[in-house]
PDB file of all heavy atoms in Angstrom:
ATOM      1  N   ILE A 544      81.528 122.573 119.662  1.00  0.00           N
ATOM      2  CA  ILE A 544      82.432 123.326 118.793  1.00  0.00           C
ATOM      3  C   ILE A 544      81.845 123.295 117.387  1.00  0.00           C
ATOM      4  O   ILE A 544      81.983 122.264 116.702  1.00  0.00           O
ATOM      5  CB  ILE A 544      83.847 122.735 118.810  1.00  0.00           C
ATOM      6  CG1 ILE A 544      84.393 122.707 120.263  1.00  0.00           C
ATOM      7  CG2 ILE A 544      84.788 123.550 117.872  1.00  0.00           C
ATOM      8  CD1 ILE A 544      84.683 124.022 120.857  1.00  0.00           C
ATOM      9  N   ARG A 545      81.142 124.316 117.009  1.00  0.00           N
ATOM     10  CA  ARG A 545      80.551 124.390 115.671  1.00  0.00           C
ATOM     11  C   ARG A 545      81.293 125.398 114.752  1.00  0.00           C
ATOM     12  O   ARG A 545      81.392 125.215 113.566  1.00  0.00           O
ATOM     13  CB  ARG A 545      79.038 124.878 115.754  1.00  0.00           C
ATOM     14  CG  ARG A 545      78.168 123.886 116.551  1.00  0.00           C
ATOM     15  CD  ARG A 545      77.006 124.676 117.113  1.00  0.00           C
ATOM     16  NE  ARG A 545      77.521 125.618 118.059  1.00  0.00           N
ATOM     17  CZ  ARG A 545      77.001 125.844 119.235  1.00  0.00           C
ATOM     18  NH1 ARG A 545      75.928 125.193 119.653  1.00  0.00           N
ATOM     19  NH2 ARG A 545      77.535 126.748 120.046  1.00  0.00           N
ATOM     20  N   GLY A 558      97.908 125.734 108.608  1.00  0.00           N
ATOM     21  CA  GLY A 558      97.659 124.291 108.829  1.00  0.00           C
ATOM     22  C   GLY A 558      96.537 123.985 109.838  1.00  0.00           C
ATOM     23  O   GLY A 558      95.798 123.063 109.678  1.00  0.00           O
ATOM     24  N   ILE A 559      96.496 124.816 110.882  1.00  0.00           N
ATOM     25  CA  ILE A 559      95.442 124.657 111.911  1.00  0.00           C
ATOM     26  C   ILE A 559      94.071 124.883 111.286  1.00  0.00           C
ATOM     27  O   ILE A 559      93.113 124.125 111.495  1.00  0.00           O
ATOM     28  CB  ILE A 559      95.725 125.572 113.100  1.00  0.00           C
ATOM     29  CG1 ILE A 559      97.003 125.178 113.810  1.00  0.00           C
ATOM     30  CG2 ILE A 559      94.523 125.568 114.058  1.00  0.00           C
ATOM     31  CD1 ILE A 559      97.488 126.225 114.830  1.00  0.00           C
ATOM     32  N   ALA A 560      93.951 125.925 110.447  1.00  0.00           N
ATOM     33  CA  ALA A 560      92.714 126.193 109.753  1.00  0.00           C
ATOM     34  C   ALA A 560      92.280 125.000 108.943  1.00  0.00           C
ATOM     35  O   ALA A 560      91.170 124.573 108.943  1.00  0.00           O
ATOM     36  CB  ALA A 560      92.839 127.467 108.889  1.00  0.00           C
ATOM     37  N   MET A 561      93.264 124.417 108.206  1.00  0.00           N
ATOM     38  CA  MET A 561      92.985 123.213 107.382  1.00  0.00           C
ATOM     39  C   MET A 561      92.491 122.108 108.264  1.00  0.00           C
ATOM     40  O   MET A 561      91.475 121.391 107.916  1.00  0.00           O
ATOM     41  CB  MET A 561      94.235 122.791 106.609  1.00  0.00           C
ATOM     42  CG  MET A 561      94.628 123.763 105.489  1.00  0.00           C
ATOM     43  SD  MET A 561      96.088 123.161 104.676  1.00  0.00           S
ATOM     44  CE  MET A 561      95.485 121.747 103.742  1.00  0.00           C
ATOM     45  N   ALA A 562      93.070 121.871 109.407  1.00  0.00           N
ATOM     46  CA  ALA A 562      92.712 120.775 110.314  1.00  0.00           C
ATOM     47  C   ALA A 562      91.215 120.933 110.716  1.00  0.00           C
ATOM     48  O   ALA A 562      90.458 119.953 110.727  1.00  0.00           O
ATOM     49  CB  ALA A 562      93.553 120.754 111.579  1.00  0.00           C
ATOM     50  N   TYR A 563      90.788 122.178 110.924  1.00  0.00           N
ATOM     51  CA  TYR A 563      89.386 122.406 111.319  1.00  0.00           C
ATOM     52  C   TYR A 563      88.472 122.153 110.127  1.00  0.00           C
ATOM     53  O   TYR A 563      87.415 121.448 110.260  1.00  0.00           O
ATOM     54  CB  TYR A 563      89.278 123.818 111.913  1.00  0.00           C
ATOM     55  CG  TYR A 563      89.573 123.864 113.425  1.00  0.00           C
ATOM     56  CD1 TYR A 563      90.770 124.127 113.880  1.00  0.00           C
ATOM     57  CD2 TYR A 563      88.501 123.760 114.322  1.00  0.00           C
ATOM     58  CE1 TYR A 563      91.071 124.163 115.227  1.00  0.00           C
ATOM     59  CE2 TYR A 563      88.709 123.793 115.720  1.00  0.00           C
ATOM     60  CZ  TYR A 563      90.013 124.010 116.155  1.00  0.00           C
ATOM     61  OH  TYR A 563      90.216 124.069 117.515  1.00  0.00           O
ATOM     62  N   VAL A 564      88.771 122.791 108.982  1.00  0.00           N
ATOM     63  CA  VAL A 564      87.838 122.607 107.915  1.00  0.00           C
ATOM     64  C   VAL A 564      87.828 121.171 107.363  1.00  0.00           C
ATOM     65  O   VAL A 564      86.828 120.660 106.861  1.00  0.00           O
ATOM     66  CB  VAL A 564      88.102 123.614 106.758  1.00  0.00           C
ATOM     67  CG1 VAL A 564      87.861 125.024 107.233  1.00  0.00           C
ATOM     68  CG2 VAL A 564      89.486 123.502 106.126  1.00  0.00           C
ATOM     69  N   ASN A 565      88.955 120.467 107.554  1.00  0.00           N
ATOM     70  CA  ASN A 565      88.991 119.060 107.110  1.00  0.00           C
ATOM     71  C   ASN A 565      87.968 118.232 107.986  1.00  0.00           C
ATOM     72  O   ASN A 565      87.509 117.178 107.596  1.00  0.00           O
ATOM     73  CB  ASN A 565      90.411 118.477 107.355  1.00  0.00           C
ATOM     74  CG  ASN A 565      91.354 119.012 106.300  1.00  0.00           C
ATOM     75  OD1 ASN A 565      90.958 119.721 105.349  1.00  0.00           O
ATOM     76  ND2 ASN A 565      92.630 118.781 106.479  1.00  0.00           N
ATOM     77  N   ALA A 566      87.753 118.805 109.202  1.00  0.00           N
ATOM     78  CA  ALA A 566      86.800 118.099 110.071  1.00  0.00           C
ATOM     79  C   ALA A 566      85.381 118.677 109.931  1.00  0.00           C
ATOM     80  O   ALA A 566      84.426 118.419 110.706  1.00  0.00           O
ATOM     81  CB  ALA A 566      87.226 118.268 111.549  1.00  0.00           C
ATOM     82  N   GLY A 567      85.256 119.599 108.964  1.00  0.00           N
ATOM     83  CA  GLY A 567      83.905 120.209 108.656  1.00  0.00           C
ATOM     84  C   GLY A 567      83.527 121.353 109.510  1.00  0.00           C
ATOM     85  O   GLY A 567      82.421 121.759 109.562  1.00  0.00           O
ATOM     86  N   ILE A 568      84.522 121.934 110.244  1.00  0.00           N
ATOM     87  CA  ILE A 568      84.238 123.073 111.106  1.00  0.00           C
ATOM     88  C   ILE A 568      84.673 124.336 110.457  1.00  0.00           C
ATOM     89  O   ILE A 568      85.857 124.495 110.169  1.00  0.00           O
ATOM     90  CB  ILE A 568      84.992 122.875 112.496  1.00  0.00           C
ATOM     91  CG1 ILE A 568      84.611 121.580 113.158  1.00  0.00           C
ATOM     92  CG2 ILE A 568      84.705 124.123 113.426  1.00  0.00           C
ATOM     93  CD1 ILE A 568      85.442 121.264 114.401  1.00  0.00           C
ATOM     94  N   PRO A 569      83.745 125.286 110.144  1.00  0.00           N
ATOM     95  CA  PRO A 569      84.114 126.553 109.461  1.00  0.00           C
ATOM     96  C   PRO A 569      85.030 127.414 110.319  1.00  0.00           C
ATOM     97  O   PRO A 569      84.945 127.367 111.563  1.00  0.00           O
ATOM     98  CB  PRO A 569      82.759 127.259 109.246  1.00  0.00           C
ATOM     99  CG  PRO A 569      81.790 126.592 110.136  1.00  0.00           C
ATOM    100  CD  PRO A 569      82.276 125.203 110.464  1.00  0.00           C
ATOM    101  N   VAL A 570      85.958 128.084 109.620  1.00  0.00           N
ATOM    102  CA  VAL A 570      87.002 128.854 110.356  1.00  0.00           C
ATOM    103  C   VAL A 570      87.057 130.287 109.810  1.00  0.00           C
ATOM    104  O   VAL A 570      87.016 130.496 108.564  1.00  0.00           O
ATOM    105  CB  VAL A 570      88.393 128.203 110.134  1.00  0.00           C
ATOM    106  CG1 VAL A 570      89.476 129.092 110.607  1.00  0.00           C
ATOM    107  CG2 VAL A 570      88.442 126.887 110.844  1.00  0.00           C
ATOM    108  N   TYR A 591      96.083 121.956  99.261  1.00  0.00           N
ATOM    109  CA  TYR A 591      94.925 121.233  98.759  1.00  0.00           C
ATOM    110  C   TYR A 591      95.170 120.812  97.313  1.00  0.00           C
ATOM    111  O   TYR A 591      94.822 119.689  96.951  1.00  0.00           O
ATOM    112  CB  TYR A 591      93.608 122.048  98.868  1.00  0.00           C
ATOM    113  CG  TYR A 591      93.006 122.007 100.294  1.00  0.00           C
ATOM    114  CD1 TYR A 591      92.704 123.167 100.985  1.00  0.00           C
ATOM    115  CD2 TYR A 591      92.779 120.767 100.915  1.00  0.00           C
ATOM    116  CE1 TYR A 591      92.146 123.109 102.266  1.00  0.00           C
ATOM    117  CE2 TYR A 591      92.267 120.699 102.200  1.00  0.00           C
ATOM    118  CZ  TYR A 591      91.897 121.842 102.849  1.00  0.00           C
ATOM    119  OH  TYR A 591      91.419 121.817 104.163  1.00  0.00           O
ATOM    120  N   GLN A 607      85.226 122.607  98.600  1.00  0.00           N
ATOM    121  CA  GLN A 607      84.249 122.714  99.753  1.00  0.00           C
ATOM    122  C   GLN A 607      84.970 123.137 101.013  1.00  0.00           C
ATOM    123  O   GLN A 607      84.597 123.983 101.737  1.00  0.00           O
ATOM    124  CB  GLN A 607      83.587 121.306  99.889  1.00  0.00           C
ATOM    125  CG  GLN A 607      82.410 121.315 100.877  1.00  0.00           C
ATOM    126  CD  GLN A 607      82.890 120.961 102.315  1.00  0.00           C
ATOM    127  OE1 GLN A 607      84.023 120.441 102.462  1.00  0.00           O
ATOM    128  NE2 GLN A 607      82.055 121.335 103.279  1.00  0.00           N
ATOM    129  N   ARG A 608      86.202 122.578 101.227  1.00  0.00           N
ATOM    130  CA  ARG A 608      86.938 122.937 102.398  1.00  0.00           C
ATOM    131  C   ARG A 608      87.474 124.357 102.358  1.00  0.00           C
ATOM    132  O   ARG A 608      87.361 125.094 103.333  1.00  0.00           O
ATOM    133  CB  ARG A 608      88.082 121.946 102.579  1.00  0.00           C
ATOM    134  CG  ARG A 608      87.631 120.547 102.933  1.00  0.00           C
ATOM    135  CD  ARG A 608      88.713 119.526 102.977  1.00  0.00           C
ATOM    136  NE  ARG A 608      88.096 118.175 103.039  1.00  0.00           N
ATOM    137  CZ  ARG A 608      88.774 117.074 103.451  1.00  0.00           C
ATOM    138  NH1 ARG A 608      90.038 117.125 103.656  1.00  0.00           N
ATOM    139  NH2 ARG A 608      88.143 115.925 103.473  1.00  0.00           N
ATOM    140  N   LEU A 611      85.025 126.899 103.468  1.00  0.00           N
ATOM    141  CA  LEU A 611      84.769 126.982 104.914  1.00  0.00           C
ATOM    142  C   LEU A 611      85.698 127.916 105.574  1.00  0.00           C
ATOM    143  O   LEU A 611      85.549 128.198 106.787  1.00  0.00           O
ATOM    144  CB  LEU A 611      84.798 125.611 105.510  1.00  0.00           C
ATOM    145  CG  LEU A 611      83.699 124.602 105.196  1.00  0.00           C
ATOM    146  CD1 LEU A 611      84.008 123.253 105.832  1.00  0.00           C
ATOM    147  CD2 LEU A 611      82.363 125.129 105.660  1.00  0.00           C
ATOM    148  N   ASN A 687      98.228 120.365 109.482  1.00  0.00           N
ATOM    149  CA  ASN A 687      97.085 119.647 108.872  1.00  0.00           C
ATOM    150  C   ASN A 687      97.474 118.189 108.661  1.00  0.00           C
ATOM    151  O   ASN A 687      96.696 117.395 108.241  1.00  0.00           O
ATOM    152  CB  ASN A 687      96.728 120.286 107.541  1.00  0.00           C
ATOM    153  CG  ASN A 687      97.931 120.405 106.632  1.00  0.00           C
ATOM    154  OD1 ASN A 687      98.932 120.984 107.056  1.00  0.00           O
ATOM    155  ND2 ASN A 687      97.849 119.948 105.405  1.00  0.00           N
ATOM    156  N   THR A 710      88.236 115.886 123.485  1.00  0.00           N
ATOM    157  CA  THR A 710      87.254 115.358 122.515  1.00  0.00           C
ATOM    158  C   THR A 710      87.483 115.937 121.164  1.00  0.00           C
ATOM    159  O   THR A 710      87.413 115.309 120.132  1.00  0.00           O
ATOM    160  CB  THR A 710      85.797 115.719 123.036  1.00  0.00           C
ATOM    161  OG1 THR A 710      85.697 115.246 124.401  1.00  0.00           O
ATOM    162  CG2 THR A 710      84.719 115.069 122.193  1.00  0.00           C
ATOM    163  N   LEU A 711      87.767 117.276 121.162  1.00  0.00           N
ATOM    164  CA  LEU A 711      87.968 118.011 119.901  1.00  0.00           C
ATOM    165  C   LEU A 711      89.150 117.385 119.128  1.00  0.00           C
ATOM    166  O   LEU A 711      89.178 117.209 117.941  1.00  0.00           O
ATOM    167  CB  LEU A 711      88.247 119.489 120.160  1.00  0.00           C
ATOM    168  CG  LEU A 711      88.524 120.369 118.973  1.00  0.00           C
ATOM    169  CD1 LEU A 711      87.403 120.380 117.972  1.00  0.00           C
ATOM    170  CD2 LEU A 711      88.868 121.773 119.497  1.00  0.00           C
ATOM    171  N   ALA A 712      90.203 116.995 119.882  1.00  0.00           N
ATOM    172  CA  ALA A 712      91.368 116.398 119.232  1.00  0.00           C
ATOM    173  C   ALA A 712      90.931 115.226 118.382  1.00  0.00           C
ATOM    174  O   ALA A 712      91.383 115.125 117.197  1.00  0.00           O
ATOM    175  CB  ALA A 712      92.352 115.940 120.325  1.00  0.00           C
ATOM    176  N   ARG A 713      90.124 114.355 118.931  1.00  0.00           N
ATOM    177  CA  ARG A 713      89.641 113.187 118.129  1.00  0.00           C
ATOM    178  C   ARG A 713      88.883 113.653 116.860  1.00  0.00           C
ATOM    179  O   ARG A 713      89.099 113.115 115.781  1.00  0.00           O
ATOM    180  CB  ARG A 713      88.724 112.344 118.955  1.00  0.00           C
ATOM    181  CG  ARG A 713      89.353 111.093 119.606  1.00  0.00           C
ATOM    182  CD  ARG A 713      88.282 110.403 120.381  1.00  0.00           C
ATOM    183  NE  ARG A 713      87.717 109.239 119.684  1.00  0.00           N
ATOM    184  CZ  ARG A 713      88.214 107.992 119.805  1.00  0.00           C
ATOM    185  NH1 ARG A 713      89.287 107.802 120.563  1.00  0.00           N
ATOM    186  NH2 ARG A 713      87.677 106.997 119.152  1.00  0.00           N
ATOM    187  N   ARG A 714      88.109 114.675 117.032  1.00  0.00           N
ATOM    188  CA  ARG A 714      87.287 115.174 115.893  1.00  0.00           C
ATOM    189  C   ARG A 714      88.202 115.768 114.808  1.00  0.00           C
ATOM    190  O   ARG A 714      87.876 115.637 113.619  1.00  0.00           O
ATOM    191  CB  ARG A 714      86.325 116.300 116.415  1.00  0.00           C
ATOM    192  CG  ARG A 714      85.060 116.302 115.679  1.00  0.00           C
ATOM    193  CD  ARG A 714      84.071 117.191 116.393  1.00  0.00           C
ATOM    194  NE  ARG A 714      83.377 118.024 115.389  1.00  0.00           N
ATOM    195  CZ  ARG A 714      82.776 119.154 115.697  1.00  0.00           C
ATOM    196  NH1 ARG A 714      82.855 119.698 116.921  1.00  0.00           N
ATOM    197  NH2 ARG A 714      82.118 119.850 114.690  1.00  0.00           N
ATOM    198  N   LEU A 715      89.320 116.347 115.239  1.00  0.00           N
ATOM    199  CA  LEU A 715      90.330 116.875 114.281  1.00  0.00           C
ATOM    200  C   LEU A 715      91.252 115.804 113.740  1.00  0.00           C
ATOM    201  O   LEU A 715      92.290 116.073 113.187  1.00  0.00           O
ATOM    202  CB  LEU A 715      91.077 118.021 114.927  1.00  0.00           C
ATOM    203  CG  LEU A 715      90.316 119.219 115.410  1.00  0.00           C
ATOM    204  CD1 LEU A 715      91.222 120.187 116.170  1.00  0.00           C
ATOM    205  CD2 LEU A 715      89.573 119.918 114.308  1.00  0.00           C
ATOM    206  N   ALA A 716      90.946 114.520 114.100  1.00  0.00           N
ATOM    207  CA  ALA A 716      91.765 113.363 113.675  1.00  0.00           C
ATOM    208  C   ALA A 716      93.175 113.510 114.263  1.00  0.00           C
ATOM    209  O   ALA A 716      94.192 113.113 113.679  1.00  0.00           O
ATOM    210  CB  ALA A 716      91.861 113.209 112.176  1.00  0.00           C
ATOM    211  N   LYS A 717      93.267 114.047 115.522  1.00  0.00           N
ATOM    212  CA  LYS A 717      94.533 114.206 116.203  1.00  0.00           C
ATOM    213  C   LYS A 717      94.537 113.261 117.383  1.00  0.00           C
ATOM    214  O   LYS A 717      93.429 112.872 117.908  1.00  0.00           O
ATOM    215  CB  LYS A 717      94.709 115.674 116.644  1.00  0.00           C
ATOM    216  CG  LYS A 717      94.669 116.732 115.567  1.00  0.00           C
ATOM    217  CD  LYS A 717      95.804 116.691 114.612  1.00  0.00           C
ATOM    218  CE  LYS A 717      95.760 117.704 113.576  1.00  0.00           C
ATOM    219  NZ  LYS A 717      96.655 117.469 112.422  1.00  0.00           N
TER     220      LYS A 717
END
Side-chain angles (χ1 to χ4, degrees):
I544 304 293
R545 295 156 299 222
I559 294 168
M561 289 178 74
Y563 272 88
V564 295
N565 290 352
I568 303 171
V570 170
Y591 278 128
Q607 188 270 342
R608 292 173 190 196
L611 289 176
N687 55 308
T710 310
L711 177 61
R713 261 180 98 93
R714 212 168 138 205
L715 299 176
K717 304 290 181 195

